[in-house]
Amino acid sequence: MVIKSISLQNYRNYRTLSLDFDPDTNIFYGDNAQGKTNILEAVYVSGTSRSHRSSKDRELICFSEEEAHICTVFEKKGILHKIDMHLRKNKTKGIAIDGVPIRKASELFGLIHFVFFSPEDLSIIKNGPAERRHFLDSELCQLDKVYLYQLSNYNKVVLQRNKLLKELYLHPDYREVLDVLDMQLVQYGSALIQRRQTFAEELGEIVHRIHSQLSGGQEEMELKYEPNVTVDAFAQMLFANRERDMRLKTTATGPHRDDISFVVNGVDIRKFGSQGQQRTAALSLKLSEIELVKRLIGDTPVLLLDDVLSELDSGRQNYLLNSIENIQTLITCTGLDDFVSHQFEINKVFQVVKGHVYMPKGF
């Protein structure tokens, strides 16, 4: 799987931009706040319909404009495809695949597979459960459209149930509706729990091996899925906690409360790990994600590395750079010194300066 090109209009700080990518390594370098991350973000948005750092389309559009346009051409199993996306400040985005408009943005999922690695991901281990659930959901939604459907419906039911819990005080006769929503919550939530369990087991096997290699055989890491409730106990726990939910006016039981644990040599590093251990674990997690995607889809994902090298020491830099052979990679950084010192093969270089992209001489 390879991104061939991207064209932007009125996206972030780019009025117009057209880029052709190399099928191997593409490096975008320049000072901070020049627009490097915006390019990676646009690539990611074109294949998933959402930004990794913003939930509102209006934030992706130039300040003085009402619309932005992204056109991405990619090759999958030898066939070229095109995604056209129009972002609008006050309307739903419009998307077309190979010239055919689609009704739901979710139809994009599975066309292109991304593994996005940013400095924020280095904190995924020590941050809260919400970020680890987001990691699970982001990857599973790309890999499994059934999971995407189940997750979307589950989230809708949680919102409806929470709204109803707030209204029951004034409308106690609505209680029968709660029974219906609880049935739906168990139905969709059970499917999420089962799929997350399988995914965590598959990922955990790879994480264990990669982490051992990264730590020079000094550490053994175990990834465990921690469901808030089991499938068998879901309905019973939901009913048992109903009165508490009514008092607190929120749903406290279900996979929206799940977590993942990372245990290194018997120690839960979410709470007791050093910063070095947490960063090594996060790197292991992302590298395992690449391998698992390859295994499940029979193709390589597109790897997006947003200024990650500057956050890693020399040993982790070496391991990461040696792990991304034969996979299309888009990398942002402030300079090329790290790549030169590691004798890393550079296929295409772009210099980014204040929303303009140049091809520097000598590359």
Side-chain angles (χ1 to χ4, degrees):
M1 189 176 304
V2 173
I3 305 292
K4 304 289 285 186
S5 66
I6 191 168
S7 297
L8 307 177
Q9 288 184 341
N10 299 326
Y11 186 91
R12 294 281 193 181
N13 66 330
Y14 292 100
R15 290 294 180 180
T16 60
L17 178 67
S18 294
L19 298 174
D20 294 320
F21 298 120
D22 190 273
D24 292 310
T25 305
N26 302 267
I27 297 177
F28 297 85
Y29 80 96
D31 295 336
N32 292 324
Q34 303 300 302
K36 303 186 300 294
T37 297
N38 294 343
I39 296 172
L40 268 60
E41 178 190 50
V43 171
Y44 187 77
V45 168
S46 70
T48 64
S49 81
R50 61 190 68 177
S51 167
H52 68 292
R53 54 180 178 162
S54 174
S55 60
K56 299 178 181 178
D57 286 352
R58 66 178 60 192
E59 295 176 1
L60 310 180
I61 302 171
C62 286
F63 291 121
S64 59
E65 303 294 334
E66 293 298 314
E67 295 186 0
H69 179 228
I70 308 172
C71 178
T72 304
V73 177
F74 68 98
E75 182 179 342
K76 185 174 183 179
K77 296 183 179 179
I79 301 175
L80 290 178
H81 300 278
K82 183 172 73 169
I83 298 172
D84 282 293
M85 183 176 296
H86 280 91
L87 306 173
R88 307 180 177 102
K89 282 189 175 178
N90 300 309
K91 295 181 181 178
T92 304
K93 63 173 65 70
I95 307 171
I97 302 172
D98 295 331
V100 180
I102 61 175
R103 295 179 59 188
K104 296 181 179 179
S106 59
E107 294 178 47
L108 274 178
F109 282 85
L111 280 180
I112 311 175
H113 288 85
F114 296 106
V115 174
F116 202 118
F117 195 8
S118 67
E120 291 75 23
D121 292 318
L122 293 170
S123 301
I124 191 173
I125 309 298
K126 66 178 179 181
N127 285 356
E131 288 198 31
R132 292 185 283 275
R133 286 193 300 271
H134 178 70
F135 163 76
L136 279 176
D137 291 337
S138 295
E139 191 51 54
L140 278 167
C141 285
Q142 289 192 71
L143 293 169
D144 188 341
K145 286 194 173 184
V146 175
Y147 182 87
L148 174 62
Y149 170 80
Q150 302 283 8
L151 179 65
S152 176
N153 282 296
Y154 178 81
N155 288 337
K156 288 177 183 176
V157 175
V158 170
L159 289 174
Q160 291 170 346
R161 190 176 190 270
N162 288 343
K163 182 179 179 182
L164 181 62
L165 290 170
K166 293 178 175 67
E167 296 175 350
L168 281 176
Y169 179 77
L170 296 176
H171 303 280
D173 52 314
Y174 287 1
R175 191 157 180 152
E176 291 184 3
V177 180
L178 200 57
D179 293 330
V180 177
L181 292 178
D182 284 2
M183 289 176 59
Q184 295 176 340
L185 204 69
V186 172
Q187 175 190 346
Y188 295 124
S190 296
L192 298 184
I193 295 168
Q194 291 172 331
R195 186 67 183 93
R196 285 177 177 178
Q197 180 68 57
T198 301
F199 179 76
E201 289 172 358
E202 294 171 330
L203 189 64
E205 172 194 341
I206 303 171
V207 163
H208 181 272
R209 172 172 48 80
I210 289 179
H211 190 84
S212 179
Q213 294 170 351
L214 257 177
S215 63
Q218 300 298 308
E219 295 182 345
E220 298 287 326
M221 184 169 82
E222 187 177 5
L223 181 152
K224 288 184 178 179
Y225 171 50
E226 296 183 339
N228 170 261
V229 64
T230 65
V231 171
D232 293 339
F234 197 174
Q236 180 182 350
M237 288 291 293
L238 196 62
F239 183 78
N241 292 331
R242 179 178 285 188
E243 294 300 323
R244 185 182 67 175
D245 287 354
M246 291 172 62
R247 289 197 308 272
L248 299 178
K249 297 179 175 54
T250 189
T251 303
T253 304
H256 61 291
R257 303 278 181 151
D258 285 352
D259 201 355
I260 316 171
S261 69
F262 302 87
V263 178
V264 174
N265 294 347
V267 177
D268 186 344
I269 62 169
R270 292 175 301 183
K271 301 175 182 177
F272 305 109
S274 67
Q275 181 171 300
Q277 283 180 313
Q278 292 172 340
R279 289 191 171 194
T280 301
L283 182 56
S284 300
L285 188 65
K286 283 295 177 177
L287 293 173
S288 301
E289 189 181 351
I290 296 171
E291 187 169 325
L292 183 57
V293 171
K294 286 182 181 179
R295 181 187 299 180
L296 294 178
I297 70 172
D299 199 356
T300 56
V302 176
L303 179 60
L304 308 175
L305 299 177
D306 186 18
D307 200 23
V308 173
L309 287 180
S310 61
E311 302 292 327
L312 301 174
D313 60 28
S314 179
R316 295 188 186 97
Q317 286 180 358
N318 273 327
Y319 194 97
L320 175 57
L321 294 176
N322 290 333
S323 300
I324 60 177
E325 295 179 355
N326 303 316
I327 176 172
Q328 187 183 34
T329 307
L330 278 62
I331 304 174
T332 67
C333 58
T334 54
L336 303 176
D337 292 346
D338 287 332
F339 301 97
V340 174
S341 63
H342 290 294
Q343 297 183 335
F344 183 72
E345 183 177 352
I346 300 174
N347 301 103
K348 201 164 190 177
V349 174
F350 304 89
Q351 183 179 13
V352 182
V353 181
K354 295 182 179 179
H356 297 279
V357 181
Y358 306 94
M359 299 287 292
K361 295 180 180 179
F363 291 97

